[in-house]
Amino acid sequence: MEITLHVKGMTCGHCEKAVKGALEDLEGVKGVEVHLNSGRVDVAYDDAQVTKENMTEAIEDQGYDVVA
Ligand SMILES: [Cu+2]
C-alpha cells in the first residue's frame, strides 16, 4: 500500500528527518519519502500492520500537523 500524507510545519532538513524517522520507527512502514517544499510525505506500508491513524499520531508527536 502507498499513501500520501500532507504535513504542515516542516521547514528544514531537521523537520524532514524527524518526520521520516518517526514514520520509519512504526512497525509495517517500508519506505518514506518526504517532499519538503510541498509538505507531501509518501509512505509505503503494510496495511495489516499499520494505519494512517498510527502515522498521523507519530507525526503529530513530533510537533507537526497532518492536514490530509
Ligand atoms: Cu526544521
Side-chain angles (χ1 to χ4, degrees):
M1 299 278 289
E2 283 206 29
I3 192 171
T4 299
L5 302 170
H6 298 268
V7 180
K8 237 168 106 174
M10 296 188 296
T11 55
C12 69
H14 167 81
C15 302
E16 178 175 343
K17 257 194 171 165
V19 168
K20 191 170 155 68
L23 289 170
E24 285 175 344
D25 280 348
L26 295 173
E27 196 85 30
V29 169
K30 297 169 172 182
V32 180
E33 204 170 324
V34 176
H35 306 273
L36 208 49
N37 292 336
S38 60
R40 277 175 41 231
V41 179
D42 298 326
V43 186
Y45 68 106
D46 179 349
D47 64 349
Q49 289 184 290
V50 64
T51 65
K52 185 188 175 186
E53 283 65 41
N54 299 144
M55 298 175 202
T56 298
E57 251 177 53
I59 292 170
E60 288 178 348
D61 281 352
Q62 296 298 315
Y64 305 100
D65 286 327
V66 179
V67 291

